[in-house]
Amino acid sequence: MAEVRAGLQDVVIATSQICSIDGQRGKLTYWGYDIHDLATNSTFEEVVYLLWHGRLPKPKQLDELHEQLAEHRAVTPEVIDLIKRLPPPQHPMEMLRTAVSALSLYDPEAEDMSPEANRHKALRLTGQMATLVAAFGRIRAGKEPISPDPKLNHAANFLYMLQGQTPRAEYARWFDVALILHADHSYNASTFTARVVASTLSDMHSAITAAIGALKGPLHGGANEQVMKMLLEIQTPDRAEPYLRNLLTQKKKVMGFGHRVYHTEDPRATVLRKMSEELGRSAGDLKWFEMSKAIEDLMIREKKINANVDFYSASAYYVLGIPVDLYPLAFAASRVSGWTAHVLEQYANNKLIRPLAEYTGPHDLKYVPMNQR
Ligand SMILES: CC(C)(COP(=O)(O)OP(=O)(O)OC[C@H]1O[C@@H](n2cnc3c(N)ncnc32)[C@H](O)[C@@H]1OP(=O)(O)O)[C@@H](O)C(=O)NCCC(=O)NCCS
């Protein structure tokens, strides 16, 4: 019997130049640049350029990207109308999955597989995803969607289109950092999904729609929302310990902890912890940070399991005023840059992804006619 690695754990299935994770040392790099360096010094737009081109942009290239994103951020009115006409989704990720799929029907290059057309689609999808999320947030609140402001960057635009007012500079910068941290993560489940779809030479929109489906699960991008629901249920920092002990006694997973690849602290969590604390301080309410810290300390003490990217992003997004059920969508609005970078890399050197399974079902059965069963 061939060796079976459940969940493809530790299986290396391809090479990629985009992103590397050192799970032992807790190091994450995009094209060789450390995530902490990028979070401190760059912007989401710079990171998008880096992911797509493999190098940091020169000033003129960055200006061009800003202009291109501004040009393509608006979503066609037909898709906005579609969002208005959809029944209220049970989860907003259903809306995003449907709307992104619908975008291809209005994309003039949807079926054009030339590298140039695929780069255009990567740009449009990255520009439009945040707009879709913000538009949905307003539509379901009975408000009209707000057009993007060409003067604002991607992070500020998202908060502006969602909340209807230009965000505080500090909030826009923290969200910018959150977008940088979420932009890519090597062969995570949703990126792998996108690459599987792309490997059949299906189109970019199909790959990204499938990736949204993978991200939606609570073991992946849905975890940040579950973390905030847990914090809201706990309500006060002093209730964190008994709540958590109860979960652990029941052998339940604590959302926002654990990782397939990191065996030490997730380097993104290091930045997000600081973000959660600083945002809490600036809002004059450290409750969510303190509660999170109490949970984290206990998880490390009792289970030796570290927080992942989804843990502190929850309390940070709460202060930023992002509705809790839109957290996975905010994740998607950043990760689309990484997904599209991986799809471009897949197309550039494609090999159909088609693994094997070890068959464990019955053998040599004889067909039984209907009247004899
Ligand atoms: C991310 C995750 C799916 C990785 O899964 P995995 O690599 O398949 O690891 P497992 O789920 O098999 O976990 C290994 C062990 O650690 C425990 N563990 C892992 N994450 C845990 C968590 N969040 N809470 C409690 N225990 C956890 C498991 O119960 C298991 O213990 P066991 O060996 O005694 O059965 C898993 O850690 C998890 O479900 N985390 C919560 C969801 C989450 O935050 N997802 C976002 C990831 S960025």
Side-chain angles (χ1 to χ4, degrees):
M1 182 167 161
E3 189 196 1
V4 176
R5 294 281 189 95
L8 293 178
Q9 182 152 6
D10 298 329
V11 175
V12 178
I13 69 132
T15 60
S16 173
Q17 294 185 288
I18 300 170
C19 178
S20 100
I21 306 172
D22 181 338
Q24 300 299 332
R25 289 194 299 148
K27 193 172 163 68
L28 167 64
T29 62
Y30 299 162
W31 283 97
Y33 292 96
D34 190 282
I35 193 70
H36 288 159
D37 200 6
L38 293 170
T40 307
N41 297 305
S42 77
T43 61
F44 179 62
E45 282 80 354
E46 280 183 77
V47 165
V48 169
Y49 190 97
L50 173 66
L51 290 173
W52 289 345
H53 298 277
R55 57 183 186 278
L56 289 170
K58 294 181 191 305
K60 186 164 170 290
Q61 293 165 331
L62 185 61
D63 287 348
E64 273 169 18
L65 180 62
H66 273 283
E67 278 167 27
Q68 288 164 345
L69 282 170
E71 188 186 334
H72 293 295
R73 203 167 266 128
V75 167
T76 178
E78 285 87 347
V79 174
I80 296 292
D81 282 349
L82 174 73
I83 297 175
K84 288 181 180 166
R85 283 186 284 111
L86 288 173
Q90 291 175 45
H91 193 281
M93 283 294 265
E94 297 173 83
M95 177 290 301
L96 189 66
R97 195 186 55 212
T98 305
V100 167
S101 181
L103 284 178
S104 80
L105 299 167
Y106 302 95
D107 194 306
E109 294 172 301
E111 290 294 317
D112 184 341
M113 292 296 280
S114 66
E116 202 191 8
N118 281 324
R119 283 198 183 278
H120 295 159
K121 284 180 271 186
L123 181 76
R124 283 195 281 272
L125 277 161
T126 301
Q128 292 167 344
M129 189 91 79
T131 311
L132 284 175
V133 180
F136 172 77
R138 291 189 67 80
I139 289 167
R140 72 167 176 185
K143 299 174 187 161
E144 267 305 303
I146 294 178
S147 301
D149 180 342
K151 292 190 294 303
L152 298 178
N153 69 10
H154 203 65
N157 245 312
F158 175 72
L159 295 174
Y160 163 69
M161 289 188 286
L162 182 67
Q163 298 167 345
Q165 56 197 34
T166 308
R168 287 159 61 170
E170 178 201 1
Y171 282 17
R173 174 55 190 160
W174 274 125
F175 189 59
D176 194 36
V177 172
L179 292 177
I180 293 170
L181 298 174
H182 284 84
D184 196 37
H185 211 229
S186 185
Y187 268 55
N188 60 89
S190 57
T191 302
F192 182 54
T193 303
R195 291 193 75 134
V196 170
V197 175
S199 84
T200 71
L201 296 185
S202 186
D203 64 286
M204 174 88 72
H205 286 80
S206 296
I208 303 308
T209 303
I212 293 169
L215 186 74
K216 177 171 177 281
L219 297 187
H220 190 10
N224 51 11
E225 175 188 358
Q226 300 307 322
V227 171
M228 197 62 224
K229 286 185 174 161
M230 172 175 74
L231 299 181
L232 288 166
E233 214 175 304
I234 296 173
Q235 267 304 319
T236 53
D238 60 300
R239 291 183 49 196
E241 180 159 346
Y243 182 95
L244 198 74
R245 284 198 188 283
N246 185 33
L247 274 189
L248 295 178
T249 312
Q250 294 179 58
K251 302 234 170 296
K252 291 210 172 133
K253 288 248 177 103
V254 183
M255 292 292 125
F257 286 88
H259 203 274
R260 174 63 66 78
V261 186
Y262 293 116
H263 301 290
T264 181
E265 173 150 311
D266 180 335
R268 302 165 299 176
T270 320
V271 183
L272 287 160
R273 183 188 299 107
K274 185 164 170 248
M275 184 184 302
S276 166
E277 183 174 11
E278 291 199 8
L279 279 170
R281 186 161 290 121
S282 116
D285 183 6
L286 277 166
K287 174 170 110 169
W288 306 110
F289 168 74
E290 283 168 1
M291 199 187 299
S292 303
K293 190 72 178 63
I295 294 171
E296 184 188 29
D297 290 348
L298 197 71
M299 279 299 280
I300 292 174
R301 209 165 57 238
E302 299 282 316
K303 299 282 293 180
K304 299 192 173 36
I305 299 179
N306 290 293
N308 58 45
V309 69
D310 292 308
F311 189 62
Y312 280 104
S313 53
S315 45
Y317 288 174
Y318 199 72
V319 176
L320 291 176
I322 299 172
V324 176
D325 61 354
L326 296 189
Y327 289 8
L329 289 80
F331 190 154
S334 164
R335 184 58 59 85
V336 63
S337 60
W339 289 334
T340 48
H342 279 270
V343 169
L344 292 170
E345 188 180 53
Q346 185 68 37
Y347 287 150
N349 187 19
N350 190 51
K351 172 94 176 158
L352 176 73
I353 299 174
R354 202 295 187 202
L356 298 174
E358 182 74 21
Y359 177 69
T360 57
H363 288 275
D364 300 329
L365 303 184
K366 287 274 173 289
Y367 181 78
V368 182
M370 191 67 81
N371 60 3
Q372 293 173 27
R373 281 177 221 161

